[in-house]
Amino acid sequence: MFLINCPYCGERDQSEFKAGGEAHIIRPKQPTELSDDEWAEYLFMRKNIKGIQFERWNHAHGCRKWFNIIRDTSNDEIKTVYKMGESPPKL
Amino acid sequence: MSKNLRINSSKFIDQTNRISFIFNDKKYYGYKGDTLASALLANNIHLIGRSFKYHRPRGIMTAGSEEPNAIVQLHKNTSRTEPNVRATEIEIYEGLEASSQNCWPSVNFDIGGINNFFSPILPAGFYYKTFMWPANFWEKYEYFIRKSAGLGKSPTEPDPDIYEHRYIHCDVLIIGSGISGIMAAKTSAKNGLKTLLVEEKPYLGGTTIYQNSEYFKINNQTSGSWLEKEINEIKKLKNLEIKTRTSVAAYHGYNFLLAKENLTDHLPIEIREKKIRHRLLKIRAKKVVNATGSIERPLIFDNNDRPGIFISSAIKRYADLYGVACGEKNILFTNNDSAYETAISLIQKGINVKAIIDNRENVDSKLIYEAEKNNIKIFKGFTVVDTSGYKRIKKISIMQLSKDGQKVVGSKKNLHCDCLGVSGGWTPVVHLFTQSGGKLKFREEDSVFIPNEFPSNQISVGACNGDFFLDEILINVPKSLQKFLKIKNSEYDNIEVSSFINKSNRNIWLLPSDKTFGKTKPFVDYQNDATAKDIKLALREGFRSIEHVKRYTTTGMGTDQGKLGNMHALGIISETAGTKMGELGTTTFRPPYTPLTFGTIVGRNVGEYFDIFRKTPIHNWHVKHKAEFENVGQWKRAWYYPKENESMHEAVQRESKAARESAGILDASTLGKIDIQGTDASEFLNRVYTNAWSKLAVGKCRYGLMLNEDGMVYDDGVTTRLGENHYIMTTTTGGAANVMSKLEDYLQTEWPELDVYLTSVTDHFATVSVCGPNSKKIVSEVIPDLDLSDESFPHMSFKNAKIGKINCRVMRISFTGEHSYEINIQANFGKSVWEKCMDAGKEFNITPYGTETMHLLRAEKGFIIVGQDTDATMTPIDLQMDWIVSKKKYDFIGKRSLYRSDTIKEDRKQLVGLLTENPNEVLEEGSQIVSDINKSPIEMLGHVTSSYYSPNLNKSIALGVIRGGKKMMGQRLIIPMEKKNINVTVADPVFLDKENKRLNA
Ligand SMILES: [Zn+2]
C-alpha cells in the first residue's frame, strides 16, 4: 500500500486516496469543433505505460484536493508529487 | 507406544509443569514449552497423518512453520475447530485436542492408502486429465475425491473468538530474532531508533539460542550463552518493542507489512473467553531488516517421505530445545557438515547415532573427525537409494555414488534405523523479501537464491541473505547494519568467533537410484505428493515455465507453499530442461507467508460492523413501525411497511393507492445534497447538466440530467436556486459521493477559474416528502404560516419557512406525479417533523410508504431511475429524454459524445413502456425481450428494467430497453420464460396522467 505525500496534508495512507487516471489530458476547449476521431482521442486514448507515468490522484478521504504524481508503474515508486496546474518537475 | 523418549532436562522445557492433551482420542502427557510435535515425539508417536493424493503415512519432518506433513485438526466438532494446524507450531496446553487429517476411516487404516498401490494411474496433471472428461461424470468423481481427500474440516459454527487490528509505526522493523535479528535489534534501538522486533516462535534466539557446542564460540563462550546475554540486554532497551508468537504474513510496497500476533492459541480453552485471540498488526516501517533465517533442505531419493524421516536440524532442535529423542537408532544422510552438528549433539546426550551417509567424497573437518571418534560409521561418497517401513522407517539401503554423482555403483548395503535425518544444505527464507518486490540472484557455489535488488528501504541479513555460518554472520551483519542504519560505531567491534565447520557441499538435486526412473517415488512436495517423476513428466509434455509446471504438478501449492521442496523442483527442471537456475527464476511467493484465519483478517468488523450502514434521522420511527428495510448504497432505507400479515405485494399495493388517492409520506433523507455557492454557480451548473440554468429564477427548482463525457447518463436530481449565487443540488442516493467527486474534479482541474464552492450536506438535512391530493392540507397544518396557494407556491418552486422556531426549506417537487412537498430540516428535527406530518395527516389516512412504492409510483409516470433503467450505456436520447438536452448551449459535459457515430445509431437500445397481453401478468425484471422465438440463435432485442403491478391502473406495467424501440410503438414482442412465452406490446413509457394534471390537483 502506497504512502502518498498529499501536497496539502502530507504523507497519508493510500486508502485515503482515489486514483484518477492519466494526468495532463486537457479537456478540449471547443469540443464541437472536433471530428469524431479527435474527440475519441481525448475520450478514450490513454498511454498505460509500464514505467514512468504521470497520474492524477484525489485525496478523497482527506482534503478532497486533486493533484498529480509521477509514478513508476513497474515498481510503484512515486517519484514526485505536484499540484494541479503546475507543470511536471524534471526528474 | 508408552515409551518415554524425553532425554534430559532442557532448560527450555518446564518439567515441573506436566500437561495432558488428546491426540486421536487418546490421552498423552507433555510439558509446558512443548509443541504438539515435540510432545508426540516424546511419546514415541510418529504417524501423524496421511498424504493428500496417495494417502501415504506421514510423520513429522521439521520443527517449524515449513512443516508439510504434520498438520492436524484441533478441537474437532467444536466452534473452535481449526484445520491445517502445524503440529510443529502449536504449543500444547491443558485440554488440547488434536486429530489426524486426510485419513478415512482412521490414520492407521486408511481407505485412500490404496491410491498408493495404483499410483501409476495418478501422474502429474491427473486431476486435469481424468476429471475433465466426460463432464457429466464430474459429480461422481467429486463425491469420491471429497470423501477420501481434502485438507481437514472447516468449522460450521460462528467463530467465538475476538480479533483486532492495530497500526504500528516504527523507524525499524526487524523480522526474526535469530542471532542476526538480535544484533540488528540491539544496534537499532541503542542508536535511538524506535524499533520493533517480531518473532514467530514463543522464544527469542532462533537456532543459536540452544547451541552449546564447543565448536562454535563467540568471545570464548558458546554461541548460545553469548546470545542469551545479548537477549537479556536488549530486553532492557526502551526504544525496543519485542513481539513473540508474531509472524509476518505479508510484505507490501512502501514498507507496509501485516503481521499476526497470536495471543491465546497457547492457552487452555477455558481461559480464552473475552480475550483477544489474534491481533493483526498493520506495520508501516521506515526501514525493514529481514532476518528471517534459512530452512534446511531435504534430499530427494526413493521413498524419502516415511514417518521417522526428519530434516537433520529438526532432530537437533528436538534434542537440544525440547529434550526429546526422535529415535533410538539414528542415521543421518547429508551433503554438507550440518548433519555432523546434529550427530555430535545427540551423542553428547547419550543418543545413539549409528551412521552418517555423506554424499561427499574425500571430505574432512573437525566435526567429521569428532563424529568418527565417537564410533559413528561414516559412509563417504554414498547415497541412500531406498527406505522401508510402512508406518515408521525401519531400514535404509545405501549405495556408492559414481564420480560424477549421476549413477550408483557397487552393491547395496542395508542399515537398520528408526530415525533418518537428512540435510541437503540451506535455503534462505526470501519469501517476504520477494513479496515486497525484491529480486533474487542465484549463487552457483552452494546453489541458493539470495536477495539482490532491494525495492524499498530494507536489507536482508544473516542466513536469509546467504550468510549461513557463524563467522560470516558476525563479520557481515554488523557491517551491513552500520551502513543501512547510518550508524557510526558498531556494537560488535573486536568480536572473536571460532567456527570449525567445513563449508563445502555436494548438491545433487535428484539423487540417483539403482531402480529405473519411474519405478521410484522421490517426493519433492510432500504435502501435495508431487514426485520428481511428475515434474519430469510435465516437462516431457511440453511445460516449460516454472509457473506452469507448478500448477500442473501442484508442486508448492499446499498450505506450506512448498517451503521445503521448491528448490529441488527448480533444480530438477533446470537439469532436465537444460536451463540455468538463474535464468529459470523462482515461482512467485504470495502472501500470506503462513496462513491467516478469516477472523484475523476481518478483526472487529464482524456482525453489524461487517459492512457499516447509514441510518436516516427518522430511522428509529421506521423500525418502530415495523418497516422492512433495503440496502441502497450504505444506507438502510424503509422498503415497505407491512401491516399485520400483509405480504410485500399487498403492502405496496395499499401504499401506492393511498399515495394517489389521499396522502403518502416518504423519508427522502438519503438523497445526496450538495450545497453550491459562488458567483459562477449558474455557469457551473450550465456546464455539468444537459439543460440550461442561467435563466432559472431564485426560488425555483429544476430537474437536471448529468452525463459522463462519453454522453452516457450518470446521475439526475432536482436543483433549487436558493439565492443569486446559491444552489442546492440533490443527487441519487447511491451516486452522491461520486457526483461530489466528479464535480470537484472538473472544478479543480478543468475550470479552476470558476468561483464555485461545493459542500456535501447530505447528512445535515432530513427530508420528509408528503404527496397526494391531501398533501397541501397536511403541510398547511404543519406550517400554518406558509402560503401554499398555487399562485404563490407553484410546482417546481421553493420557500424558506419555519416550523416553530426551526428554519426549514420547502420544495414543491414531485417524483410520484402527485401534488407534493419536500420539507428539508436540520437533521436532528427530522423525526419530529415526520411525526408532526403523521399527526396532521391522520384524518386523511396519511400512509408511510417505502422505496418499493416510490419505485412503483414513478414507473406509472415513466420516470427513470438511474442505475435501474440505465446502465452507463444509455444516452438521454436513448431514454427518450431529448427535451432535457439543450440545443442552444455551446458545451456541457458529454455534449460532443451525443453525436458520435455510435451514439446516433438508430438501433441503439432505447427506453420504452411494455404492456402485457394479460394485464395480470407481471414481468420479471431482467427478462430478455425477443421478436422471433423460432430463429436460432434467438436474437435478443433488449431486456425489462422495471416491472410492477399498478393498483392505480389495475394492470401490469413495465419499462424496458429495446434495440430501435422508439420506432416500435404498438408492436408485439415476446418475453420467453422458462415455462411459457409472454406476449407484450411496446407502449409509451408514461402510463398515467400524461397531461400532469395531478401535480396541481
Ligand atoms: Zn490532502
Side-chain angles (χ1 to χ4, degrees), chain B residues 299-305 509-511 513 517-526 529-535 572:
Chain B
L299 289 164
I300 311 300
F301 53 91
D302 191 16
N303 290 316
N304 59 345
D305 66 325
W509 294 117
L510 173 60
L511 290 155
S513 165
F517 185 76
K519 300 275 181 205
T520 58
K521 279 210 189 70
F523 286 93
V524 176
D525 182 315
Y526 302 85
D529 274 350
T531 66
K533 190 171 77 180
D534 294 325
I535 293 171
I572 292 164

Side-chain angles (χ1 to χ4, degrees), chain B residues 4-15 31-35 38-39 41-43 210 314-326 345-346 349 351:
Chain B
N4 185 355
L5 289 163
R6 193 72 65 169
I7 38 154
N8 68 344
S9 52
S10 153
K11 63 179 173 179
F12 301 97
I13 293 291
D14 181 2
Q15 295 227 22
Y31 296 113
K32 181 110 185 86
D34 265 327
T35 60
S38 69
L41 291 170
N43 285 283
Y210 52 81
I315 296 176
K316 183 172 188 299
R317 185 192 286 262
Y318 284 118
D320 289 355
L321 189 78
Y322 300 104
V324 173
C326 292
S345 184
L346 294 183
K349 292 176 181 65
I351 304 168

Side-chain angles (χ1 to χ4, degrees), chain A residues 1-3 13 18 27 30-36 39 43 56 64-66 76-78 84, chain B residues 252-254 256 284 709 740-741 744-745 748-750 758 890-893 896-897 899-901:
Chain A
M1 195 152 43
F2 310 168
L3 203 55
D13 207 284
K18 188 176 144 182
R27 188 175 189 272
Q30 297 171 317
T32 45
E33 317 286 308
L34 302 181
S35 69
D36 268 11
W39 180 245
L43 206 52
R56 294 152 18 99
R64 251 170 46 199
K65 283 284 194 184
W66 284 86
D76 285 338
E77 191 193 335
I78 296 173
M84 272 301 155
Chain B
H252 298 293
Y254 290 76
F256 181 71
R284 187 74 83 165
E709 285 291 12
M740 180 72 185
S741 156
E744 278 287 3
D745 185 358
Q748 289 179 34
T749 68
E750 298 296 348
L758 305 173
Y890 179 71
D891 192 16
F892 55 83
I893 297 172
R896 175 62 186 83
S897 291
Y899 54 94
R900 288 179 53 237
S901 57

Side-chain angles (χ1 to χ4, degrees), chain B residues 246-257:
Chain B
T246 301
S247 54
V248 175
Y251 189 162
H252 298 293
Y254 290 76
N255 280 348
F256 181 71
L257 299 95

Side-chain angles (χ1 to χ4, degrees), chain A residues 6 8-9 59 62-63:
Chain A
C6 171
Y8 305 92
C9 308
H59 195 182
C63 63

